[in-house]
Amino acid sequence: MSAHPVDEKLPALKMATTGLQHVAAMYAGVVAPPLIVGAAVGLSAIELTFLTGACLFTAGLATFLQTLGIWNIGARLPFVNGVTFAGVAPMTAIVAATDDKSDALPIIFGAVIVAGLLGFIAAPFFSKMVRFFPPVVTGTVITLIGVSLLPVAFGWAQGPNPAADDFGSSTNLTLAAVTLLLVLLLRRFTRGFVKQIAVLLGLVGGTLIAIPFGVTDFGPVAEASVIGFPSPFHFGAPQFQVAAIISMCVVMVVSMTESTADMLALGEIVDRPADEKTIAAGLRADTLGSAISPFFNGFMCSAFAQNIGLVAMTKIRSRYVVAAGGGFLVLMGLCPMAASLIAVVPRPVLGGAGVVLFGSVAASGIQTLVRAGLEKDNNVLIVAVSLAVGIIPISAPEFYHAFPETARIVLDSGISTGCVVAVLLNLVFNHLGRNQDAEDVTHPMESGEELTGPPRTAPATS
């Protein structure tokens, strides 16, 4: 009896090349969070390179857990794991609330460890609660992730230092625009592997174009070692602060929700539907990978949705291909010189690519909302209020200025507050005390009195 395509082992060369393709598709995404958080902490180029390499290394370990699995850990599906975008905004909020920036990373690492362990314990129970996280909730949260990160891309486009004379200069903005244009042209006029790595090629092209302008620094590559290891707790022993832990636990819920949705989608694509047992095992891999990651100076890990699209496009469903990609991530993490290459990319070039990268996350959330049944007034209200609350920290950064600093760590993360509001409103409108009136399809600004004929039935919300 032949093996299921998910369990198929391909020839070594094909395994390696297709594994590299998965790395290329997610590389820009996995290095963006350490760049954002590292810049907020004020790390030097060498330290930033170390943090980036550590995140690549831990992404590889988490991918091994998810694809190969041990015991009841790992969905054993072609999942690539890496640093989740959902944690970026809360982590930068933690950095901003920390007076001594040298304590910021240890506080983040401590919070991630606790959130990961609690998530591991909760995984089998969470897999039974999927109905409380329908598309109206997950779509809202994913949209908020993208919207919350777009200001980061705009900041990058202006330059690395807000105090510098050239911050926001025409040169910096032009480099960002040219990089964005390169990515768009590659996505429009190429296909296959080249199209999949359009963001990576855009970063390379933008960096080369930036050299004559004198904004490209090759110092980090020259100073980096060929071989290295992300020494445990390089930035200090983990610290445990309640507010930071609560914030990262909220992120863990968001991450588990996204991973659950990704497993359901990927299971359909590879013709191995993800049942409750598979989801629980996959969530254990996510959460255990996240708990282990801080020991090697990495952040919270989650499944990368863009790689699901790659599986669908190539029709290569083998989990061992993705495991090979995890091997490449580990090797890159063990080679500081390879990790330092991203530090060479000028900040405006990253900003141009970031518009596509972060905008795509928001667009992915909108795609999910399209399936959420927004013709139903309850769902429109859930999305409207949740997005409004989630955008407060972006549109009015000082809105919560009168609250204690510990509370602001959670409140200043639009993703966290938006997620909590979406879950609570979904419970109130679509689960608690549900009655026949809830099935009426109207616009939230209309009374519904003019409806004629039999009421239409809205799509299920859970």
Side-chain angles (χ1 to χ4, degrees), residues 29-356:
V30 80
V31 301
L35 284 174
I36 298 171
V37 178
V41 174
L43 297 182
S44 66
I46 296 298
E47 293 293 333
L48 197 58
T49 296
F50 180 92
L51 185 64
T52 302
C55 287
L56 289 168
F57 179 78
T58 54
L61 296 183
T63 299
F64 284 152
L65 272 178
Q66 193 67 270
T67 54
L68 302 180
I70 54 172
W71 184 58
N72 290 325
I73 301 171
R76 293 171 173 80
L77 291 172
F79 262 126
V80 174
N81 273 46
V83 182
T84 174
F85 275 109
V88 174
M91 287 191 291
T92 53
I94 292 172
V95 173
T98 305
D99 294 329
D100 185 350
K101 299 307 178 189
S102 63
D103 289 333
L105 287 176
I107 290 172
I108 290 172
F109 292 148
V112 172
I113 290 173
V114 174
L117 292 176
L118 290 177
F120 184 84
I121 295 171
F125 306 101
F126 192 91
S127 65
K128 300 178 185 295
M129 298 173 62
V130 179
R131 68 191 187 94
F132 295 114
F133 296 89
V136 70
V137 173
T138 56
T140 299
V141 174
I142 296 170
T143 301
L144 278 173
I145 292 171
V147 171
S148 296
L149 291 175
L150 278 172
V152 174
F154 302 148
W156 282 350
Q158 296 178 83
N161 183 8
D165 293 335
D166 66 345
F167 187 75
S169 67
S170 58
T171 298
N172 287 345
L173 296 182
T174 299
L175 287 173
V178 168
T179 303
L180 173 59
L181 181 61
L182 280 175
V183 174
L184 293 176
L185 290 174
L186 287 168
R187 289 290 299 178
R188 174 62 182 85
F189 295 107
T190 62
R191 60 178 58 187
F193 181 60
V194 175
K195 185 175 183 177
Q196 282 296 320
I197 62 172
V199 172
L200 190 60
L201 293 177
L203 290 173
V204 173
T207 301
L208 294 175
I209 293 172
I211 292 176
F213 295 93
V215 295
T216 305
D217 180 15
F218 289 94
V221 178
E223 298 174 16
S225 303
V226 176
I227 299 176
F229 184 79
S231 53
F233 301 128
H234 175 81
F235 296 98
Q239 300 179 28
F240 303 95
Q241 291 190 1
V242 175
I245 290 172
I246 292 174
S247 182
M248 296 313 294
C249 282
V250 173
V251 175
M252 179 57 73
V253 172
V254 175
S255 176
M256 293 171 75
T257 302
E258 290 182 48
S259 290
T260 298
D262 289 341
M263 278 184 269
L264 292 171
L266 185 60
E268 294 298 323
I269 291 171
V270 301
D271 196 28
R272 180 178 279 182
D275 55 16
E276 187 178 302
K277 181 179 179 181
T278 300
I279 292 173
L283 293 178
R284 287 193 189 98
D286 270 5
T287 53
L288 181 60
S290 296
I292 294 173
S293 186
F295 286 85
F296 299 102
N297 313 284
F299 300 133
M300 189 177 292
C301 294
S302 180
F304 267 53
Q306 57 263 50
N307 291 81
I308 296 176
L310 188 57
V311 172
M313 184 192 74
T314 62
K315 308 298 183 185
I316 298 176
R317 296 180 277 178
S318 171
R319 59 191 173 102
Y320 295 103
V321 163
V322 174
F328 285 117
L329 288 171
V330 169
L331 291 176
M332 292 172 71
L334 296 175
C335 179
M337 183 172 288
S340 70
L341 290 174
I342 194 64
V344 172
V345 181
R347 206 60 62 85
V349 172
L350 279 173
V355 170
V356 176

Side-chain angles (χ1 to χ4, degrees), residues 397-424:
E398 298 302 316
F399 188 83
Y400 299 111
H401 74 277
F403 285 74
E405 286 295 326
T406 51
R408 291 190 63 178
I409 291 178
V410 177
L411 295 174
D412 283 343
S413 167
I415 298 168
S416 300
T417 54
C419 175
V420 171
V421 171
V423 170
L424 292 178

